[in-house]
Amino acid sequence: MEVKINSVHFNADQKLVEFVNKKVNKLDTFFDGILKAEVILKVAKPEAANNKVSELKVSIPSKENLFAKKQADTFEEATDLAVDAIKKQLVKSKEKMKSK
């Protein structure tokens, strides 16, 4: 699976990039046919707490893209939340495909 990471208005350090890649690649265990994943990391309001946003868009065959957008204190936490949301969507779409 191809994982593309975009950081808006800041440069993500190598540790963060590796963390995001590791988390997103684990989605393969829930759904085999993931084509690509795109992660967008940005800071919502620099002066506020809980301002790190992680958007995750996953492309799977025979369906529109799955999308999750989560906000938290850290990019790692926001990415964790987004990956969990996508997991649920992948399980649901897998069940729908099996029932057809």
Side-chain angles (χ1 to χ4, degrees), residues 37-88:
E38 186 177 349
V39 182
I40 300 171
L41 303 171
K42 58 186 171 185
V43 179
K45 293 179 184 166
E47 68 280 355
N50 201 16
N51 62 353
K52 310 292 190 292
V53 178
S54 180
E55 296 179 5
L56 178 56
K57 185 165 73 171
V58 175
S59 300
I60 58 173
S62 74
K63 194 172 188 304
E64 72 280 350
N65 293 333
L66 303 177
F67 182 78
K69 178 180 180 179
K70 298 295 176 183
Q71 192 165 340
D73 286 329
T74 65
F75 285 117
E76 289 84 357
E77 190 181 350
T79 301
D80 266 343
L81 294 170
V83 167
D84 286 344
I86 291 289
K87 276 183 200 172
K88 290 175 187 167

Side-chain angles (χ1 to χ4, degrees), residues 1 17 23 43 83 88 92 95:
M1 161 177 47
V17 170
K23 282 291 182 182
V43 179
V83 167
K88 290 175 187 167
K92 274 186 184 176
E95 287 171 2

